[in-house]
Amino acid sequence: MKLRERYRQLQDPAVVKAMVVRSVYASMALEEQTVSIERLEALYEQTRLTPATGAATGR
């Protein structure tokens, strides 16, 4: 069973984006690095569109 099949909410791109952005924001805050949520969301969008990662293309 795949992760997306087991946890249906992972099929919603908005939920996945929120989870990733929140996790990165919290990790950086723990390291006392300040970055805005808006900047993280913009970076997420940039990486999501990069085909070289393989994850964005579903491979």
Side-chain angles (χ1 to χ4, degrees):
M1 176 176 276
K2 294 183 179 182
L3 196 61
R4 286 184 182 226
E5 293 171 358
R6 184 169 182 162
Y7 300 100
R8 295 281 180 196
Q9 69 269 24
L10 293 179
Q11 293 180 3
D12 183 359
V15 171
V16 174
K17 178 181 177 180
M19 289 172 49
V20 170
V21 169
R22 212 177 8 217
S23 296
V24 171
Y25 181 82
S27 296
M28 292 185 77
L30 286 173
E31 296 176 2
E32 297 179 10
Q33 297 179 16
T34 57
V35 65
S36 69
I37 294 288
E38 294 79 19
R39 177 67 178 139
L40 291 174
E41 289 174 345
L43 289 170
Y44 179 86
E45 291 300 323
Q46 287 177 4
T47 59
R48 208 185 82 182
L49 300 175
T50 304
T53 62
T57 60
R59 288 187 231 172

